[in-house]
Amino acid sequence: MIKPLLDNILLEKIASEKKVGSIVLTSEKKTGNVATVIAVGPGKEENGKFVATTLKPGEKVIYRAYSGTEYEDDGHKYLLIKEEDILAIVE
């Protein structure tokens, strides 16, 4: 298990599926920059005060393009990203 440090967030990219006949095509490009929060760091110190992370595991989020560090494990694609690069929560 990966445990993010500081204000880092571990995301799992969401792949969309398109069915053509009996063939299922998957693509990360269709959903854009949407991912599910897997794990969150505790937060960071800012101006002498501790600021806790506001996201929770299981939330679906939109993140800034070209940010973070990609990691692949057992066929799953993860992205380790700073909380400030999360743009919105999808409800």
Side-chain angles (χ1 to χ4, degrees):
M1 181 65 181
I2 300 168
K3 183 178 178 184
L5 301 175
L6 300 173
D7 65 334
N8 290 300
I9 311 293
L10 182 67
L11 303 175
E12 184 172 11
K13 294 182 178 183
I14 297 174
S16 68
E17 291 186 353
K18 179 180 179 183
K19 194 167 186 177
V20 179
S22 61
I23 300 171
V24 176
L25 303 172
T26 61
S27 170
E28 291 175 11
K29 294 179 182 175
K30 292 256 183 207
T31 58
N33 300 337
V34 179
T36 303
V37 176
I38 301 299
V40 298
K44 66 179 179 177
E45 190 173 319
E46 195 171 280
N47 297 328
K49 295 180 182 178
F50 181 76
V51 180
T53 305
T54 58
L55 295 169
K56 295 174 183 58
E59 291 182 310
K60 188 189 278 189
V61 297
I62 300 171
Y63 60 92
R64 189 180 313 274
Y66 308 111
S67 58
T69 302
E70 292 187 356
Y71 175 75
E72 189 169 344
D73 184 34
D74 198 28
H76 294 278
K77 291 184 179 182
Y78 298 103
L79 184 66
L80 194 57
I81 190 170
K82 290 228 168 266
E83 185 177 28
E84 65 191 31
D85 290 328
I86 304 291
L87 302 175
I89 297 172
V90 180
E91 294 181 341

Coordinates of all heavy atoms in Angstrom, one line a residue:
M1 N 0.8 -1.2 0.0 CA 0.0 0.0 0.0 C 0.9 1.2 0.0 O 1.9 1.3 0.7 CB -0.9 0.0 1.2 CG -1.9 1.1 1.3 SD -3.0 1.1 -0.1 CE -3.9 2.5 0.3
I2 N 0.5 2.2 -0.7 CA 1.2 3.5 -0.8 C 0.6 4.5 0.1 O -0.6 4.6 0.1 CB 1.2 4.0 -2.3 CG1 1.8 3.0 -3.2 CG2 1.8 5.4 -2.4 CD1 1.5 3.4 -4.7
K3 N 1.4 5.1 1.0 CA 0.9 6.1 1.9 C 1.5 7.4 1.6 O 2.7 7.7 1.8 CB 1.3 5.7 3.4 CG 0.8 6.6 4.4 CD 1.1 6.1 5.8 CE 0.6 7.1 6.8 NZ 1.0 6.8 8.2
P4 N 0.7 8.4 1.0 CA 1.2 9.7 0.7 C 1.7 10.5 1.9 O 1.1 10.3 3.0 CB 0.0 10.4 0.0 CG -0.9 9.3 -0.3 CD -0.7 8.2 0.7
L5 N 2.7 11.3 1.7 CA 3.2 12.2 2.7 C 2.8 13.6 2.5 O 2.4 13.9 1.4 CB 4.7 12.1 2.7 CG 5.4 10.7 3.0 CD1 6.9 10.8 2.8 CD2 5.0 10.2 4.3
L6 N 2.8 14.4 3.5 CA 2.4 15.8 3.5 C 1.1 16.0 2.8 O 0.1 15.4 3.2 CB 3.5 16.6 2.8 CG 4.9 16.5 3.5 CD1 5.9 17.2 2.6 CD2 4.9 17.1 4.9
D7 N 1.0 16.9 1.8 CA -0.3 17.2 1.2 C -0.5 16.5 -0.2 O -1.2 16.9 -1.1 CB -0.6 18.7 1.0 CG 0.4 19.3 0.1 OD1 1.5 18.8 -0.1 OD2 0.1 20.4 -0.5
N8 N 0.2 15.3 -0.3 CA 0.1 14.6 -1.6 C -1.1 13.7 -1.5 O -1.5 13.2 -0.5 CB 1.4 13.7 -1.8 CG 2.6 14.6 -2.1 OD1 2.6 15.3 -3.1 ND2 3.6 14.5 -1.2
I9 N -1.7 13.4 -2.7 CA -2.9 12.6 -2.9 C -2.6 11.5 -3.9 O -2.0 11.8 -4.9 CB -4.0 13.5 -3.5 CG1 -4.2 14.8 -2.7 CG2 -5.3 12.7 -3.6 CD1 -4.7 14.7 -1.3
L10 N -3.0 10.3 -3.6 CA -2.8 9.2 -4.5 C -4.1 9.0 -5.3 O -5.2 8.8 -4.6 CB -2.4 7.9 -3.8 CG -2.2 6.7 -4.6 CD1 -0.9 6.9 -5.5 CD2 -2.0 5.4 -3.8
L11 N -4.1 9.1 -6.6 CA -5.3 9.0 -7.4 C -5.1 7.7 -8.3 O -4.0 7.4 -8.7 CB -5.4 10.2 -8.4 CG -5.5 11.6 -7.7 CD1 -5.5 12.6 -8.8 CD2 -6.7 11.7 -6.8
E12 N -6.3 7.1 -8.6 CA -6.3 6.0 -9.6 C -7.1 6.6 -10.8 O -8.2 7.0 -10.7 CB -7.0 4.8 -9.1 CG -6.9 3.6 -10.1 CD -7.4 2.3 -9.5 OE1 -8.0 2.3 -8.4 OE2 -7.2 1.3 -10.1
K13 N -6.4 6.6 -11.9 CA -7.0 7.1 -13.1 C -8.2 6.3 -13.5 O -8.2 5.0 -13.4 CB -6.0 7.1 -14.3 CG -4.9 8.1 -14.1 CD -4.0 8.1 -15.3 CE -2.9 9.1 -15.1 NZ -2.0 9.1 -16.3
I14 N -9.3 6.9 -14.0 CA -10.5 6.3 -14.4 C -10.5 6.1 -16.0 O -10.3 7.1 -16.7 CB -11.7 7.1 -14.0 CG1 -11.8 7.2 -12.5 CG2 -13.0 6.5 -14.6 CD1 -12.9 8.0 -12.0
A15 N -10.6 4.9 -16.5 CA -10.6 4.7 -17.9 C -12.1 4.5 -18.3 O -12.9 3.9 -17.6 CB -9.9 3.4 -18.2
S16 N -12.4 5.2 -19.4 CA -13.8 5.0 -19.9 C -13.9 3.8 -20.8 O -12.9 3.4 -21.4 CB -14.2 6.3 -20.7 OG -13.5 6.4 -21.9
E17 N -15.1 3.3 -21.0 CA -15.3 2.1 -21.8 C -16.3 2.5 -22.9 O -17.2 3.2 -22.7 CB -15.9 1.0 -21.0 CG -14.9 0.4 -20.0 CD -15.4 -0.9 -19.4 OE1 -16.6 -1.2 -19.6 OE2 -14.7 -1.5 -18.7
K18 N -15.9 2.0 -24.1 CA -16.8 2.2 -25.3 C -17.0 0.8 -25.9 O -16.0 0.1 -26.2 CB -16.2 3.2 -26.3 CG -17.0 3.4 -27.5 CD -16.3 4.4 -28.4 CE -17.2 4.6 -29.7 NZ -16.5 5.4 -30.6
K19 N -18.2 0.4 -26.1 CA -18.5 -0.9 -26.6 C -18.8 -0.8 -28.1 O -19.7 -0.1 -28.5 CB -19.7 -1.5 -25.9 CG -19.8 -3.0 -26.1 CD -20.8 -3.6 -25.2 CE -20.8 -5.1 -25.4 NZ -21.7 -5.8 -24.4
V20 N -18.1 -1.5 -28.9 CA -18.3 -1.6 -30.3 C -18.6 -3.1 -30.6 O -17.7 -3.9 -30.7 CB -17.0 -1.1 -31.1 CG1 -17.2 -1.2 -32.6 CG2 -16.6 0.3 -30.7
G21 N -19.8 -3.4 -30.9 CA -20.3 -4.7 -31.0 C -20.0 -5.5 -29.8 O -20.5 -5.2 -28.7
S22 N -19.2 -6.6 -29.8 CA -18.9 -7.3 -28.6 C -17.5 -7.0 -28.1 O -17.0 -7.6 -27.2 CB -19.0 -8.8 -28.9 OG -18.1 -9.2 -29.9
I23 N -16.9 -6.0 -28.7 CA -15.5 -5.6 -28.2 C -15.7 -4.3 -27.3 O -16.3 -3.4 -27.6 CB -14.7 -5.2 -29.4 CG1 -14.5 -6.4 -30.4 CG2 -13.3 -4.7 -29.0 CD1 -13.8 -6.1 -31.7
V24 N -15.0 -4.4 -26.2 CA -15.0 -3.3 -25.3 C -13.6 -2.5 -25.4 O -12.6 -3.1 -25.2 CB -15.2 -3.7 -23.8 CG1 -15.1 -2.6 -22.8 CG2 -16.5 -4.4 -23.7
L25 N -13.7 -1.3 -25.7 CA -12.5 -0.4 -25.9 C -12.4 0.4 -24.6 O -13.3 1.0 -24.2 CB -12.6 0.5 -27.1 CG -12.8 -0.3 -28.4 CD1 -13.1 0.8 -29.5 CD2 -11.6 -1.1 -28.8
T26 N -11.2 0.5 -24.0 CA -10.9 1.4 -22.9 C -10.0 2.5 -23.3 O -9.1 2.3 -24.1 CB -10.4 0.7 -21.7 OG1 -9.1 0.1 -22.0 CG2 -11.3 -0.4 -21.2
S27 N -10.2 3.7 -22.7 CA -9.4 4.8 -23.0 C -9.4 5.8 -21.9 O -10.4 6.1 -21.3 CB -9.9 5.5 -24.3 OG -9.2 6.8 -24.5
E28 N -8.2 6.3 -21.5 CA -8.1 7.3 -20.5 C -8.4 8.7 -21.1 O -8.7 9.6 -20.4 CB -6.7 7.3 -19.8 CG -6.5 6.1 -19.0 CD -5.1 6.0 -18.5 OE1 -4.4 7.0 -18.6 OE2 -4.7 4.9 -18.0
K29 N -8.2 8.9 -22.4 CA -8.4 10.2 -23.0 C -9.9 10.6 -23.0 O -10.1 11.8 -22.9 CB -7.9 10.1 -24.4 CG -6.4 9.9 -24.5 CD -5.9 9.8 -25.9 CE -4.4 9.5 -25.9 NZ -3.9 9.4 -27.3
K30 N -10.8 9.7 -23.0 CA -12.2 10.1 -23.1 C -12.7 10.8 -21.8 O -13.5 11.7 -21.8 CB -13.1 8.9 -23.3 CG -12.9 8.3 -24.6 CD -14.1 8.6 -25.4 CE -14.0 7.9 -26.8 NZ -14.6 8.6 -27.8
T31 N -12.2 10.4 -20.6 CA -12.6 11.0 -19.4 C -11.8 12.2 -19.0 O -12.1 12.9 -18.1 CB -12.5 10.0 -18.2 OG1 -11.1 9.5 -18.1 CG2 -13.4 8.8 -18.4
G32 N -10.7 12.5 -19.7 CA -9.9 13.6 -19.4 C -9.1 13.3 -18.2 O -8.6 12.3 -18.0
N33 N -9.1 14.3 -17.3 CA -8.3 14.2 -16.1 C -9.2 13.9 -14.9 O -9.2 14.7 -13.9 CB -7.5 15.5 -15.9 CG -6.6 15.8 -17.0 OD1 -6.2 14.9 -17.7 ND2 -6.2 17.0 -17.2
V34 N -9.9 12.8 -14.9 CA -10.8 12.4 -13.8 C -10.2 11.2 -13.2 O -9.7 10.3 -13.9 CB -12.2 12.1 -14.3 CG1 -13.1 11.7 -13.2 CG2 -12.8 13.3 -15.0
A35 N -10.2 11.2 -11.8 CA -9.6 10.0 -11.1 C -10.3 9.9 -9.8 O -11.0 10.8 -9.3 CB -8.1 10.3 -10.9
T36 N -10.1 8.7 -9.2 CA -10.6 8.4 -7.8 C -9.5 8.6 -6.8 O -8.4 8.1 -7.0 CB -11.2 7.0 -7.8 OG1 -12.2 6.9 -8.8 CG2 -11.8 6.7 -6.5
V37 N -9.8 9.2 -5.7 CA -8.9 9.4 -4.6 C -8.7 8.0 -3.9 O -9.7 7.4 -3.5 CB -9.3 10.4 -3.6 CG1 -8.4 10.5 -2.4 CG2 -9.4 11.8 -4.3
I38 N -7.5 7.5 -3.8 CA -7.2 6.2 -3.2 C -6.7 6.5 -1.7 O -7.1 5.8 -0.8 CB -6.2 5.4 -4.0 CG1 -6.7 5.2 -5.4 CG2 -5.8 4.1 -3.3 CD1 -8.0 4.4 -5.5
A39 N -5.8 7.4 -1.6 CA -5.2 7.7 -0.3 C -4.8 9.1 -0.2 O -4.5 9.7 -1.2 CB -4.0 6.8 0.0
V40 N -4.7 9.7 1.0 CA -4.4 11.1 1.2 C -3.3 11.2 2.3 O -3.3 10.5 3.2 CB -5.6 12.0 1.5 CG1 -6.6 12.0 0.4 CG2 -6.2 11.6 2.8
G41 N -2.4 12.2 2.1 CA -1.5 12.5 3.1 C -2.2 13.3 4.2 O -3.3 13.8 4.0
P42 N -1.5 13.5 5.4 CA -2.1 14.2 6.5 C -2.3 15.7 6.3 O -3.3 16.3 6.8 CB -1.2 13.9 7.7 CG 0.1 13.6 7.0 CD -0.2 13.0 5.7
G43 N -1.4 16.3 5.5 CA -1.5 17.8 5.3 C -0.1 18.4 5.4 O 0.9 17.7 5.3
K44 N -0.1 19.7 5.5 CA 1.2 20.4 5.5 C 1.2 21.5 6.5 O 0.2 22.0 6.9 CB 1.6 20.8 4.1 CG 0.7 21.9 3.6 CD 1.2 22.3 2.2 CE 0.2 23.4 1.6 NZ 0.6 23.9 0.4
E45 N 2.4 22.0 6.8 CA 2.5 23.2 7.6 C 2.7 24.4 6.7 O 3.5 24.4 5.8 CB 3.8 23.1 8.5 CG 3.8 24.2 9.5 CD 4.9 24.0 10.5 OE1 5.2 22.8 11.0 OE2 5.6 25.0 10.9
E46 N 1.8 25.4 7.0 CA 1.8 26.6 6.2 C 1.8 27.8 7.1 O 0.8 28.0 7.9 CB 0.6 26.6 5.3 CG 0.7 27.6 4.1 CD -0.4 27.3 3.1 OE1 -0.3 26.4 2.3 OE2 -1.4 28.0 3.2
N47 N 2.8 28.7 7.0 CA 2.8 29.9 7.9 C 2.8 29.6 9.4 O 2.1 30.2 10.1 CB 1.7 30.9 7.5 CG 1.8 31.4 6.1 OD1 2.9 31.6 5.6 ND2 0.7 31.7 5.5
G48 N 3.4 28.5 9.7 CA 3.5 28.1 11.1 C 2.3 27.3 11.7 O 2.2 27.0 12.8
K49 N 1.3 27.1 10.8 CA 0.1 26.4 11.2 C -0.1 25.1 10.3 O 0.2 25.1 9.2 CB -1.2 27.2 11.0 CG -1.2 28.4 11.9 CD -2.5 29.2 11.7 CE -2.5 30.5 12.5 NZ -3.7 31.3 12.3
F50 N -0.6 24.1 11.0 CA -0.9 22.8 10.3 C -2.2 22.9 9.5 O -3.2 23.3 10.1 CB -0.9 21.6 11.2 CG -1.1 20.3 10.5 CD1 -0.1 19.7 9.8 CD2 -2.4 19.7 10.5 CE1 -0.3 18.5 9.2 CE2 -2.6 18.5 9.9 CZ -1.6 17.9 9.2
V51 N -2.1 22.6 8.2 CA -3.3 22.6 7.3 C -3.6 21.2 6.9 O -2.8 20.6 6.2 CB -3.1 23.6 6.1 CG1 -4.4 23.6 5.2 CG2 -2.8 25.0 6.5
A52 N -4.7 20.7 7.4 CA -5.1 19.3 7.0 C -5.6 19.1 5.6 O -6.1 20.1 5.0 CB -6.2 18.8 8.0
T53 N -5.4 18.0 5.0 CA -5.9 17.7 3.7 C -7.4 17.6 3.7 O -8.0 17.0 4.6 CB -5.3 16.3 3.2 OG1 -3.9 16.4 3.3 CG2 -5.7 16.0 1.8
T54 N -8.0 18.1 2.7 CA -9.5 18.2 2.7 C -10.2 17.1 1.9 O -11.4 16.9 2.1 CB -10.0 19.5 2.1 OG1 -9.5 19.6 0.8 CG2 -9.5 20.7 2.9
L55 N -9.4 16.3 1.1 CA -10.0 15.2 0.3 C -10.1 14.0 1.2 O -9.3 13.8 2.1 CB -9.2 15.0 -0.9 CG -9.2 16.2 -1.9 CD1 -8.1 16.0 -3.0 CD2 -10.5 16.3 -2.5
K56 N -11.0 13.1 0.7 CA -11.2 11.8 1.4 C -11.1 10.7 0.3 O -11.5 10.8 -0.8 CB -12.5 11.7 2.1 CG -12.6 12.7 3.2 CD -14.0 12.8 3.8 CE -14.2 13.8 4.8 NZ -13.9 15.1 4.5
P57 N -10.6 9.5 0.7 CA -10.6 8.4 -0.2 C -12.0 8.0 -0.7 O -13.0 8.1 0.0 CB -10.0 7.2 0.6 CG -9.2 7.9 1.7 CD -9.9 9.2 2.0
G58 N -12.0 7.7 -2.0 CA -13.3 7.4 -2.6 C -13.9 8.5 -3.4 O -14.8 8.3 -4.2
E59 N -13.5 9.7 -3.2 CA -14.0 10.9 -4.0 C -13.5 10.8 -5.4 O -12.4 10.4 -5.6 CB -13.6 12.2 -3.3 CG -14.3 12.4 -2.0 CD -14.0 13.7 -1.3 OE1 -12.8 14.1 -1.2 OE2 -14.9 14.4 -0.9
K60 N -14.3 11.3 -6.3 CA -13.9 11.4 -7.7 C -13.6 12.9 -7.9 O -14.3 13.8 -7.6 CB -15.1 11.0 -8.6 CG -14.7 10.9 -10.1 CD -15.9 10.8 -11.0 CE -16.3 9.3 -11.1 NZ -17.4 9.1 -12.1
V61 N -12.4 13.1 -8.5 CA -11.9 14.5 -8.7 C -11.4 14.7 -10.1 O -11.1 13.8 -10.9 CB -10.7 14.8 -7.7 CG1 -11.2 14.7 -6.3 CG2 -9.5 13.8 -8.0
I62 N -11.3 16.0 -10.5 CA -10.7 16.5 -11.7 C -9.4 17.1 -11.3 O -9.3 17.9 -10.4 CB -11.6 17.5 -12.4 CG1 -12.9 16.9 -12.8 CG2 -10.9 18.0 -13.7 CD1 -13.9 17.8 -13.3
Y63 N -8.3 16.7 -12.0 CA -7.0 17.2 -11.6 C -6.3 18.0 -12.8 O -6.7 17.8 -13.9 CB -6.1 16.1 -11.1 CG -5.8 15.0 -12.1 CD1 -4.7 15.1 -13.0 CD2 -6.7 13.9 -12.2 CE1 -4.5 14.1 -13.9 CE2 -6.5 12.9 -13.2 CZ -5.4 13.0 -14.0 OH -5.2 12.0 -14.9
R64 N -5.4 18.8 -12.5 CA -4.7 19.6 -13.5 C -3.8 18.7 -14.4 O -3.2 17.8 -13.9 CB -3.7 20.6 -12.8 CG -3.1 21.6 -13.6 CD -2.2 22.6 -12.9 NE -2.8 23.1 -11.6 CZ -3.6 24.2 -11.6 NH1 -3.9 24.8 -12.7 NH2 -4.0 24.6 -10.4
A65 N -3.9 19.0 -15.7 CA -3.2 18.2 -16.7 C -1.7 18.3 -16.5 O -1.2 19.4 -16.1 CB -3.5 18.6 -18.1
Y66 N -0.9 17.3 -16.8 CA 0.5 17.3 -16.8 C 1.1 17.5 -15.4 O 2.2 18.1 -15.2 CB 1.1 18.3 -17.8 CG 0.6 18.1 -19.1 CD1 -0.3 19.1 -19.7 CD2 0.9 17.0 -19.9 CE1 -0.8 18.9 -21.0 CE2 0.4 16.8 -21.2 CZ -0.5 17.8 -21.7 OH -1.0 17.6 -22.9
S67 N 0.4 17.2 -14.3 CA 0.9 17.3 -13.0 C 1.1 16.0 -12.3 O 0.4 15.0 -12.7 CB 0.0 18.2 -12.2 OG -1.3 17.7 -12.1
G68 N 1.9 15.9 -11.3 CA 2.1 14.7 -10.5 C 3.1 13.7 -11.1 O 3.7 13.9 -12.1
T69 N 3.2 12.6 -10.4 CA 4.1 11.5 -10.8 C 3.3 10.2 -11.0 O 2.5 9.8 -10.1 CB 5.1 11.3 -9.7 OG1 5.8 12.5 -9.5 CG2 6.1 10.2 -10.0
E70 N 3.4 9.6 -12.2 CA 2.7 8.4 -12.5 C 3.4 7.2 -11.9 O 4.6 7.2 -11.8 CB 2.5 8.3 -14.0 CG 1.6 9.3 -14.6 CD 1.4 9.0 -16.1 OE1 1.9 8.1 -16.7 OE2 0.6 9.8 -16.7
Y71 N 2.6 6.2 -11.5 CA 3.1 5.0 -10.9 C 2.2 3.9 -11.4 O 0.9 4.0 -11.3 CB 3.1 5.1 -9.4 CG 3.5 3.9 -8.7 CD1 4.8 3.4 -8.6 CD2 2.5 3.1 -8.0 CE1 5.2 2.3 -8.0 CE2 2.9 1.9 -7.3 CZ 4.2 1.5 -7.3 OH 4.5 0.4 -6.7
E72 N 2.7 2.8 -11.8 CA 1.9 1.6 -12.2 C 2.3 0.4 -11.4 O 3.4 0.1 -11.2 CB 2.1 1.3 -13.7 CG 1.1 0.3 -14.2 CD 1.1 0.2 -15.7 OE1 1.7 1.1 -16.4 OE2 0.6 -0.8 -16.2
D73 N 1.2 -0.3 -10.9 CA 1.4 -1.4 -10.0 C 0.3 -2.5 -10.3 O -0.9 -2.1 -10.2 CB 1.4 -1.1 -8.5 CG 1.7 -2.2 -7.6 OD1 2.5 -3.1 -8.0 OD2 1.1 -2.2 -6.5
D74 N 0.7 -3.6 -10.7 CA -0.2 -4.7 -11.0 C -1.4 -4.3 -11.9 O -2.5 -4.6 -11.7 CB -0.8 -5.2 -9.6 CG -1.4 -6.6 -9.7 OD1 -1.0 -7.4 -10.6 OD2 -2.3 -6.9 -8.9
G75 N -1.0 -3.6 -13.0 CA -2.0 -3.2 -14.0 C -2.9 -2.0 -13.6 O -3.7 -1.6 -14.4
H76 N -2.7 -1.5 -12.5 CA -3.4 -0.2 -12.1 C -2.5 1.0 -12.3 O -1.3 0.9 -11.9 CB -3.9 -0.3 -10.6 CG -4.9 -1.4 -10.3 ND1 -6.2 -1.2 -10.6 CD2 -4.7 -2.6 -9.9 CE1 -6.8 -2.3 -10.3 NE2 -6.0 -3.2 -9.8
K77 N -3.1 2.0 -12.8 CA -2.3 3.3 -13.0 C -2.7 4.3 -12.0 O -3.8 4.6 -11.8 CB -2.6 3.8 -14.4 CG -2.0 3.0 -15.5 CD -2.2 3.6 -16.9 CE -1.6 2.7 -18.0 NZ -1.8 3.4 -19.3
Y78 N -1.6 4.7 -11.3 CA -1.8 5.7 -10.2 C -1.1 7.0 -10.5 O -0.2 7.0 -11.3 CB -1.3 5.2 -8.9 CG -1.9 3.9 -8.4 CD1 -1.3 2.7 -8.5 CD2 -3.1 3.9 -7.7 CE1 -1.9 1.5 -8.1 CE2 -3.8 2.8 -7.3 CZ -3.1 1.6 -7.5 OH -3.7 0.4 -7.0
L79 N -1.6 8.0 -9.8 CA -0.9 9.3 -10.0 C -0.8 9.9 -8.6 O -1.7 10.0 -7.8 CB -1.8 10.2 -10.8 CG -1.3 11.6 -11.2 CD1 -0.1 11.5 -12.1 CD2 -2.4 12.4 -11.9
L80 N 0.4 10.3 -8.2 CA 0.7 10.9 -7.0 C 0.8 12.4 -7.2 O 1.7 12.9 -8.0 CB 2.0 10.4 -6.4 CG 2.3 10.7 -4.9 CD1 1.1 10.2 -4.0 CD2 3.6 10.1 -4.5
I81 N 0.0 13.2 -6.6 CA -0.2 14.6 -7.0 C -0.4 15.5 -5.7 O -0.9 15.0 -4.7 CB -1.4 14.7 -7.9 CG1 -1.6 16.1 -8.6 CG2 -2.7 14.4 -7.2 CD1 -2.7 16.1 -9.7
K82 N 0.0 16.7 -5.8 CA -0.2 17.7 -4.7 C -1.7 18.1 -4.6 O -2.3 18.2 -5.7 CB 0.7 18.9 -4.9 CG 2.1 18.7 -4.7 CD 2.7 19.7 -3.8 CE 4.0 19.4 -3.3 NZ 4.1 18.7 -2.1
E83 N -2.2 18.3 -3.4 CA -3.6 18.7 -3.3 C -3.9 20.0 -4.1 O -5.0 20.1 -4.6 CB -3.9 18.9 -1.8 CG -5.4 19.1 -1.6 CD -5.8 19.2 -0.1 OE1 -4.9 19.6 0.7 OE2 -6.9 18.9 0.2
E84 N -3.0 20.9 -4.2 CA -3.3 22.1 -4.9 C -3.5 21.9 -6.4 O -4.0 22.8 -7.1 CB -2.1 23.1 -4.7 CG -0.8 22.7 -5.3 CD 0.3 23.6 -4.8 OE1 0.3 24.1 -3.7 OE2 1.3 23.7 -5.6
D85 N -3.1 20.8 -6.9 CA -3.4 20.4 -8.3 C -4.7 19.8 -8.6 O -5.0 19.4 -9.7 CB -2.2 19.6 -8.9 CG -0.9 20.4 -9.0 OD1 -1.0 21.6 -9.3 OD2 0.1 19.8 -8.9
I86 N -5.5 19.6 -7.5 CA -6.9 19.1 -7.7 C -7.8 20.3 -7.9 O -7.8 21.2 -7.1 CB -7.3 18.3 -6.4 CG1 -6.4 17.2 -6.0 CG2 -8.8 17.9 -6.5 CD1 -6.4 16.0 -6.9
L87 N -8.5 20.2 -9.0 CA -9.3 21.4 -9.4 C -10.7 21.3 -8.9 O -11.3 22.4 -8.7 CB -9.3 21.5 -11.0 CG -7.9 21.6 -11.6 CD1 -8.0 21.6 -13.1 CD2 -7.2 22.9 -11.1
A88 N -11.3 20.1 -8.8 CA -12.7 20.0 -8.4 C -13.0 18.6 -8.0 O -12.4 17.6 -8.3 CB -13.6 20.4 -9.6
I89 N -14.1 18.5 -7.2 CA -14.7 17.2 -6.8 C -15.9 17.0 -7.6 O -16.7 17.9 -7.7 CB -15.0 17.2 -5.3 CG1 -13.8 17.4 -4.4 CG2 -15.7 15.9 -4.9 CD1 -14.0 17.6 -3.0
V90 N -16.0 15.8 -8.2 CA -17.2 15.4 -9.0 C -18.2 14.8 -8.2 O -17.9 13.8 -7.5 CB -16.7 14.5 -10.2 CG1 -18.0 14.1 -11.0 CG2 -15.7 15.1 -11.0
E91 N -19.4 15.3 -8.1 CA -20.4 14.8 -7.3 C -21.5 14.1 -8.1 O -21.7 14.4 -9.2 CB -21.1 15.9 -6.4 CG -20.1 16.4 -5.4 CD -20.7 17.5 -4.5 OE1 -21.7 18.0 -4.8 OE2 -20.1 17.7 -3.4

